[in-house]
């Protein structure tokens, strides 16, 4: 299916026709590709001077992700917006590969759903996916760094993945809960052996 590219303006808040030297500088916005017009977001890169954290409270414990505003400012802002609106509430971890990753964020639970839009943070060539790294899942047909709502958490020392996935942050609290979840997967089917649900999320900014 062809998706319409919606640039959502590269710059916003431009000065008026007469020009005003005292006006604030324009704010860069993220490019977004829309699949569902009803969910067109207004994404603005995360403020590098602030620390953003998202706590995921699941049926099997809670964990907290500290977002990387330098490497993934747009996917990070998308996750903040989704968490604030309660998008992840009631979703489940649909893919669990013991000793590799746990994956969630799909409202359909099939691995084919998403937020209704995608944005891109091209990963630097030196990006690595080590234990506790949180990155955006994408299909093989999407460009590197594409993200919607599906994310995965690495549970192995080094997943040895190519730098194709936007690394949005790292687990700073609750890695033990992630490890518990990671044991509840069938390595052959990659399906969970128990239902693991994200009950709620909360965002903190400091």
């Amino acid at each position: 299916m062809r998706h319409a590219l919606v640039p959502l303006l590269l710059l916003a808040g431009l000065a008026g026709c007469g020009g005003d030297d005292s006006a604030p500088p324009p704010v860069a916005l993220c490019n977004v590709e829309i699949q569902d017009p009803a969910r067109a977001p207004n994404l603005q890169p995360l403020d590098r001077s602030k620390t953003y954290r998202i706590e995921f409270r699941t049926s099997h414990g809670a964990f907290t992700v500290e977002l990387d505003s330098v490497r993934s400012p747009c996917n990070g802002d998308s996750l903040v917006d989704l968490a604030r609106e309660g998008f992840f509430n009631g979703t489940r971890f649909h893919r669990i590969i013991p000793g590799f990753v746990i994956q969630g964020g799909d409202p359909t639970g099939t691995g084919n759903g998403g937020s209704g839009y995608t944005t891109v943070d091209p990963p630097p060539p030196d990006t690595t996916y080590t234990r506790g790294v949180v990155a955006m899942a994408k299909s093989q047909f999407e460009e590197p760094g594409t993200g919607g709502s599906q994310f995965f958490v690495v549970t192995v020392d080094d997943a040895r993945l190519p730098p194709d996935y936007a690394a949005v942050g790292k687990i700073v609290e609750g890695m033990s809960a992630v490890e518990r979840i990671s044991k509840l997967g069938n390595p052959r089917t990659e399906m969970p052996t128990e239902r693991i649900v994200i009950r709620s999320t909360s965002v903190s900014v400091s």
Side-chain angles (χ1 to χ4, degrees):
M1 179 175 64
R2 185 183 299 274
H3 301 314
L5 182 63
V6 180
L8 288 183
L9 301 179
L10 292 177
L11 296 175
L14 297 177
C17 296
D20 183 355
D21 292 339
S22 65
V27 177
L29 298 184
C30 301
N31 284 346
V32 176
E33 187 173 345
I34 305 297
Q35 291 88 43
D36 180 357
R39 292 198 51 82
N42 185 27
L43 299 182
Q44 181 176 310
L46 296 178
D47 185 341
R48 294 189 181 191
S49 68
K50 297 179 180 179
T51 299
Y52 299 82
R53 290 185 173 186
I54 303 176
E55 182 183 23
F56 291 84
R57 291 178 286 273
T58 84
S59 55
H60 289 62
F63 61 87
T64 300
V65 181
E66 185 169 298
L67 299 177
D68 189 334
S69 60
V70 175
R71 289 180 176 240
S72 297
C74 292
N75 274 298
D77 185 52
S78 175
L79 285 183
V80 166
D81 287 356
L82 292 172
R84 282 175 170 162
E85 73 174 63
F87 178 89
F88 298 110
N89 297 358
T91 63
R92 60 187 177 86
F93 285 92
H94 62 275
R95 182 176 183 235
I96 301 175
I97 308 176
F100 188 52
V101 301
I102 65 173
Q103 186 171 324
D106 177 2
T108 71
T110 64
N112 298 314
S115 55
Y117 65 85
T118 57
T119 189
V120 179
D121 289 309
D126 63 349
T127 299
T128 56
Y129 306 90
T130 54
R131 184 175 181 272
V133 165
V134 181
M136 302 308 295
K138 72 176 192 68
S139 75
Q140 61 180 322
F141 307 107
E142 293 173 311
E143 64 180 294
T146 297
S149 63
Q150 291 194 46
F151 63 91
F152 62 87
V153 185
V154 178
T155 61
V156 68
D157 287 342
D158 186 352
R160 299 185 181 278
L161 293 169
D164 287 344
Y165 308 92
V168 289
K170 190 172 179 64
I171 301 294
V172 292
E173 293 178 16
M175 191 63 195
S176 58
V178 173
E179 296 288 2
R180 280 197 296 275
I181 295 170
S182 73
K183 295 175 182 177
L184 301 175
N186 183 320
R188 183 177 61 83
T189 64
E190 303 181 1
M191 299 287 290
T193 57
E194 293 184 20
R195 186 177 178 85
I196 302 106
V197 178
I198 297 175
R199 290 175 171 164
S200 63
T201 57
S202 60
V203 177
S204 64
V205 184
S206 58

